[in-house]
Amino acid sequence: MSEESDSLRTSPSVASLSENELPPPPEPPGYVCSLTEELVTKAREELQEKPEWRLRDVQALRDMVRKEYPNLSTSLEDAFLLRFLRARKFDYDRALQLLVNYHSCRRSWPEVFSNLKPSALKDVLSSGFLTVLPHTDPRGCHILCIRPDRWIPSNYPITENIRAIYLTLEKLIQSEETQDGFPIRIKAVHVVNEPRIFKGIFAIIKPFLKEKIANRFFLHGSDLNSLHTNLPRNILPKEYGGTAGELDTASWSAVLLASEDDFVKEFCQPVPTCDSILGQALLSEGLASDVQCDDSMRAVKSQLYSCY
């Protein structure tokens, strides 16, 4: 028998190994940084992210997940775990809690997260309810434009709008340059053309918001000049007094639909039912499980620009 054949014959097969001798699972794909030098510096200053320690920090979080939540069905890839480290400024404990909260929310709100893929949301995408503007603001933040008046309750439930928003946010954070993890850091919410009652309602709830969050809401009414002091005209469509052409909703819809396979892989696989560990975890910040579909929502004809 040749030397090659003999080596194959005498090597033990995986099937013949005892359970304790099985080889360890393969490590997740390695991380390749796509940040510019400018963004690397920004991440160091704002997020305490040090490139020389980045992989060490990711491995530390990965080890914590395996030790403390061995049954948590989650990706352990470097890029995925970095979302949560960055969102919590590389505080391991807080990043781990955020990761658990993220999965807890997905499991406890199946009407939003089950079968979450672009092709299942064609009605929302074709309605023009939301889009992402092609240009970022001066800080490099993407701008999500939401138009509640485009939603007709008789066509589909309000949860479909929430699904479309979440789908959009997930797509945006696939790019490292916009990544802060989930929940995404909302830098500002600009509301225009809001009815008077909206201002009254917001005045009531504002004292109950964290000051940092409350200060990120800007109600402009019909005063587009007020909007332009925050978002320059050259990045806004003409519908909002801008010079960047007409509002285009089709392009972003096409981007999402082209990512169908990615979302099928992430959100359309069988998910274990909520176990006792995840059941004890808190839901993600700012999300609620009780959503009401009410025709009165049609009265809110505001447009929201969320920069993050």
Side-chain angles (χ1 to χ4, degrees):
M1 184 177 288
S2 68
E3 181 178 351
E4 179 181 2
S5 298
D6 188 57
S7 66
L8 292 174
R9 180 177 60 82
T10 58
S11 298
S13 67
V14 171
S16 68
L17 293 175
S18 67
E19 183 176 351
N20 292 334
E21 294 175 323
L22 288 175
E27 287 296 315
Y31 167 77
V32 178
C33 181
S34 61
L35 298 177
T36 64
E37 287 298 321
E38 181 182 359
L39 288 175
V40 168
T41 300
K42 184 178 181 180
R44 183 188 292 271
E45 294 174 351
E46 297 184 6
L47 305 178
Q48 286 78 57
E49 177 177 344
K50 298 180 180 180
E52 62 272 20
W53 291 355
R54 186 187 290 129
L55 295 183
R56 181 207 67 176
D57 294 333
V58 168
Q59 186 59 47
L61 180 57
R62 183 181 295 122
D63 292 342
M64 291 174 70
V65 173
R66 287 171 171 166
K67 179 181 179 180
E68 300 183 32
Y69 297 94
N71 298 321
L72 182 63
S73 300
T74 184
S75 170
L76 294 177
E77 294 184 5
D78 293 349
F80 181 79
L81 294 179
L82 267 174
R83 292 186 188 181
F84 300 91
L85 286 167
R86 285 169 172 159
R88 291 298 176 259
K89 298 186 177 181
F90 284 77
D91 181 316
Y92 297 165
D93 291 328
R94 295 177 65 224
L96 177 62
Q97 186 59 57
L98 181 62
L99 176 63
V100 172
N101 289 353
Y102 170 80
H103 285 289
S104 176
C105 181
R106 285 179 53 171
R107 285 162 174 75
S108 63
W109 207 358
E111 61 268 36
V112 170
F113 295 102
S114 295
N115 196 37
L116 185 63
K117 57 184 179 179
S119 62
L121 294 167
K122 287 184 178 180
D123 287 344
V124 184
L125 299 179
S126 63
S127 73
F129 172 77
L130 87 170
T131 190
V132 174
L133 301 188
H135 305 290
T136 59
D137 78 354
R139 297 173 296 177
C141 299
H142 281 279
I143 303 172
L144 170 60
C145 177
I146 301 175
R147 301 189 293 171
D149 62 313
R150 295 305 179 100
W151 173 51
I152 301 176
S154 59
N155 288 350
Y156 55 81
I158 193 173
T159 49
E160 294 299 278
N161 292 330
I162 297 171
R163 281 158 57 81
I165 293 171
Y166 190 92
L167 200 75
T168 290
L169 298 180
E170 278 279 358
K171 179 60 182 177
L172 286 174
I173 64 169
Q174 287 180 3
S175 169
E176 242 192 330
E177 295 183 359
T178 61
Q179 192 180 103
D180 271 328
F182 261 117
I184 280 178
R185 292 184 177 185
I186 305 295
K187 298 298 185 183
V189 177
H190 296 279
V191 186
V192 299
N193 298 331
E194 72 276 10
R196 239 178 243 179
I197 190 173
F198 185 89
K199 291 184 178 180
I201 293 172
F202 184 73
I204 293 173
I205 66 174
K206 186 175 181 179
F208 299 97
L209 299 175
K210 291 182 179 179
E211 182 179 2
K212 181 172 66 173
I213 300 299
N215 291 339
R216 292 177 181 175
F217 277 81
F218 301 88
L219 308 185
H220 301 287
S222 59
D223 184 4
L224 294 182
N225 289 327
S226 172
L227 175 66
H228 299 157
T229 61
N230 295 273
L231 297 175
R233 295 180 61 202
N234 65 336
I235 66 172
L236 294 175
K238 71 176 187 179
E239 286 84 348
Y240 305 108
T243 59
E246 295 184 356
L247 182 66
D248 176 15
T249 61
S251 294
W252 182 250
S253 297
V255 169
L256 290 178
L257 290 168
S259 304
E260 177 84 2
D261 290 344
D262 293 336
F263 285 103
V264 168
K265 178 182 177 182
E266 178 68 20
F267 291 98
C268 301
Q269 306 303 319
V271 177
T273 56
C274 185
D275 56 31
S276 59
I277 293 177
L278 286 178
Q280 295 170 3
L282 297 175
L283 289 179
S284 298
E285 297 173 16
L287 293 177
S289 58
D290 295 323
V291 180
Q292 307 226 343
C293 177
D294 191 328
D295 283 355
S296 64
M297 287 292 293
R298 286 279 293 160
V300 183
K301 299 182 180 296
S302 54
Q303 284 76 38
L304 290 80
Y305 290 88
S306 304
C307 306
Y308 69 94

